[in-house]
Amino acid sequence: MAVPPPKIGTPPAPELPRNGFDRFFEISARGSTMSREIRGGLATFFTMAYIVVLNPLILGSAADGDGKKLAIPAIAAATALVAGVMTILMGVVGRFPLALAAGLGVNALVAFEIAPEMTWADAMGLVVIEGVIIAVLVLTGLRTAVFRAVPTQLKTAIGVGIGLFLTIIGLVDAGFVRRVPDVANTTVPVGLGIGGKLASWPLLVFVVGLLLTLVLVVRRVRGAILIGILGSTVLAMIVEAIANVGPSVVDGKPNPKGWALNVPELPKTIADVPDLSLLGHFNVFDSWSRAGWLVVLMFVFTLLITDFFDTMGTMVAVGQEGGMLDERGTPPRAKEILLVDSIAAAAGGAASTSSNTSYIESAAGVAEGARTGVASLVTGGLFLLAMFLAPLVVVVPFEAASTALVVVGFLMMTAVRTIDWSDYEIAIPAFLTIVLMPFTYSVSNGIGAGVITYAVLKLARGKSREVHPLMYGVAALFILYFLRGPIESVVL
């Protein structure tokens, strides 16, 4: 009897493991190779290495209740250390291509809302408490149960929404999309480039780099995203050497035509000794007496909700991009992934870098072929090197790294076709989930809107039994999350 040929699009059968390392990380079983994992780990690092520079700028610019500031070099070293250790832990325990670092948004909350109410040690102590609570929720199975209670198509919408979120992050970071100045007779919130024009060298570098990456992706070139980042960086260095563009802020004044975050020029020194003096600089007790238990409770709740659902969304999006989700939309070793993420939140507080969480930029590595924790080992190792090679990390400007975010956003967007748009009971929650992530610059806001709308529509249609009981509990928590402003104004 003749064996029928395989259908077009059918994934190749997994190969037998070549050795113990392969077997442990399931490299062959997931259809990957060492070269793909290394390439993916490199791509992930280059798309998120900016956090080593940006996190110190955010945390170091704020003063606590006593008027004290954290030392920027110490924050940078601790940021790289925790990101490296936690990403490696994710690779070994979660065995998933997910990198972790200080969470953007959460670090701003800690710096500008929590720390001014207490000392830096107290604020970081609250981050430790939040991480411990999430770890307990994982160990008791509640966090995993909540994840599994979310409908599969809503999980798909979360991945699509994060794709659009990545896209707008890339476009904004590169300066391709900018906020329109508040002037009379305009209702347009954002516009193209500078005054509607691509009127700077950095913008030209971004456009050329993006087109280069897209061409490489279309031609199925291996390492397309990584080549795009490195090629854009080289081009940026050439442009800077010739045009002397400079940074986007000069002597405290904005320079719209300058490079965002980093100026692409060869550093004067290659290595530096890291300052790890902030490790262990936290206090889990004094914040309650300093700011009051109700204020502390609201801060912890906000941190908890943000970390809890941002990670769930990121995990789904990365797994979806790599085709690693099961029929329920759950990635392999979900409990272990969530546990490492919870430990990272507490570790970030213990090292004074703010809560560490999973980074959606990991999708860049998955787009390069990463499917296992080996990619996380590569990314984590590079973060540890960044402690000593910080001058080299600051060579890549946003205009070069952001090309990867836009391309990955497109790749993640393609999953939108699997949502049943004719079924309004899931289509409307999916739509709100997708659009509110980029439009509010928050993964949690999108997930919250989708969950609440899904529960309300099912109740309105008399189909309450189709909704998992945990979904009602999550919807209630998100209602409190969205109403925390009015609640604080009444009770505080």
Side-chain angles (χ1 to χ4, degrees):
M1 180 178 176
V3 178
K7 295 180 180 179
I8 295 176
T10 302
E15 300 178 10
L16 293 175
R18 297 180 177 87
N19 49 49
F21 186 85
D22 188 329
R23 187 179 301 107
F24 180 82
F25 286 102
E26 301 178 330
I27 300 172
S28 297
R30 297 188 189 180
S32 186
T33 63
M34 277 299 297
S35 62
R36 291 180 185 175
E37 297 300 315
I38 293 172
R39 199 166 61 235
L42 286 167
T44 295
F45 174 76
F46 281 115
T47 55
M48 60 182 287
Y50 66 83
I51 194 61
V52 178
V53 178
L54 189 56
N55 194 46
L57 294 180
I58 293 173
L59 294 179
S61 64
D64 65 9
D66 292 339
K68 296 181 179 179
K69 292 186 176 182
L70 298 177
I72 288 180
I75 302 173
T79 297
L81 174 64
V82 177
V85 172
M86 289 299 106
T87 300
I88 290 173
L89 187 64
M90 177 63 77
V92 175
V93 177
R95 302 176 202 172
F96 197 66
L98 203 58
L100 302 96
L104 288 175
V106 176
N107 56 4
L109 172 66
V110 172
F112 302 114
E113 293 188 40
I114 299 180
E117 298 289 334
M118 54 195 77
T119 67
W120 276 111
D122 295 337
M124 294 303 171
L126 295 187
V127 176
V128 173
I129 292 173
E130 172 255 337
V132 171
I133 292 174
I134 294 183
V136 171
L137 294 178
V138 174
L139 293 174
T140 57
L142 181 60
R143 195 179 188 188
T144 307
V146 169
F147 175 76
R148 289 175 175 165
V150 179
T152 301
Q153 290 195 62
L154 200 54
K155 290 177 182 176
T156 300
I158 290 171
V160 174
I162 289 178
L164 286 179
F165 187 28
L166 270 181
T167 301
I168 194 169
I169 289 175
L171 294 175
V172 170
D173 285 352
F176 190 85
V177 171
R178 303 191 187 202
R179 182 180 292 108
V180 174
D182 295 326
V183 296
N185 301 322
T186 181
T187 57
V188 180
V190 294
L192 173 68
I194 303 171
K197 301 177 182 178
L198 301 179
S200 72
W201 286 109
L203 282 178
L204 177 63
V205 169
F206 170 74
V207 172
V208 172
L210 178 60
L211 290 175
L212 168 65
T213 308
L214 290 172
V215 169
L216 294 174
V217 168
V218 170
R219 293 180 63 87
R220 310 284 185 179
V221 175
R222 291 183 177 181
I225 293 175
L226 181 58
I227 293 172
I229 296 172
L230 297 177
S232 300
T233 301
V234 171
L235 176 60
M237 294 174 70
I238 294 172
V239 168
E240 174 61 22
I242 296 174
N244 194 25
V245 176
S248 57
V249 178
V250 180
D251 297 329
K253 297 180 180 180
N255 173 25
K257 296 185 178 182
W259 300 102
L261 189 66
N262 298 324
V263 177
E265 54 187 6
L266 288 175
K268 296 179 180 178
T269 58
I270 301 298
D272 201 0
V273 178
D275 177 359
L276 301 178
S277 60
L278 288 178
L279 299 186
H281 188 66
F282 69 98
N283 189 328
V284 298
F285 300 112
D286 289 352
S287 58
W288 303 86
S289 58
R290 181 77 179 260
W293 69 270
L294 199 54
V295 172
V296 169
L297 192 63
M298 291 303 296
F299 281 148
V300 172
F301 176 72
T302 303
L303 288 170
L304 187 68
I305 291 293
T306 302
D307 266 356
F308 192 103
F309 291 99
D310 272 15
T311 298
M312 287 173 54
T314 300
M315 188 171 68
V316 169
V318 172
Q320 184 173 289
E321 169 66 18
M324 294 178 283
L325 304 182
D326 61 20
E327 64 279 357
R328 295 186 297 176
T330 304
R333 303 180 66 82
K335 184 175 181 179
E336 288 82 357
I337 294 171
L338 293 173
L339 179 60
V340 173
D341 182 85
S342 306
I343 295 172
S352 295
T353 67
S354 178
S355 177
N356 274 233
T357 188
S358 303
Y359 261 56
I360 189 55
E361 281 87 346
S362 304
V366 174
E368 281 291 355
R371 296 293 183 271
T372 76
V374 176
S376 296
L377 299 184
V378 175
T379 303
L382 290 171
F383 268 117
L384 294 181
L385 282 176
M387 285 195 303
F388 302 92
L389 304 177
L392 282 180
V393 173
V394 300
V395 168
V396 183
F398 267 150
E399 290 82 0
S402 295
T403 57
L405 302 185
V406 176
V407 174
V408 172
F410 156 72
L411 295 174
M412 295 174 67
M413 180 70 187
T414 59
V416 73
R417 67 186 183 279
T418 64
I419 298 174
D420 184 1
W421 295 103
S422 64
D423 181 1
Y424 283 8
E425 293 172 20
I426 190 66
I428 292 175
F431 167 74
L432 292 175
T433 298
I434 291 170
V435 299
L436 287 182
M437 284 188 192
F439 291 163
T440 66
Y441 238 63
S442 167
V443 172
S444 293
N445 289 347
I447 295 176
V451 168
I452 293 172
T453 308
Y454 178 77
V456 169
L457 293 181
K458 286 295 186 181
L459 284 171
R461 292 295 304 276
K463 299 179 179 180
S464 59
R465 292 185 178 180
E466 294 183 8
V467 181
H468 195 288
L470 283 175
M471 285 288 285
Y472 289 118
V474 172
L477 288 174
F478 267 118
I479 290 173
L480 290 175
Y481 173 75
F482 286 125
L483 295 179
R484 67 190 186 279
I487 291 174
E488 288 174 359
S489 66
V490 172
V491 302
L492 298 185

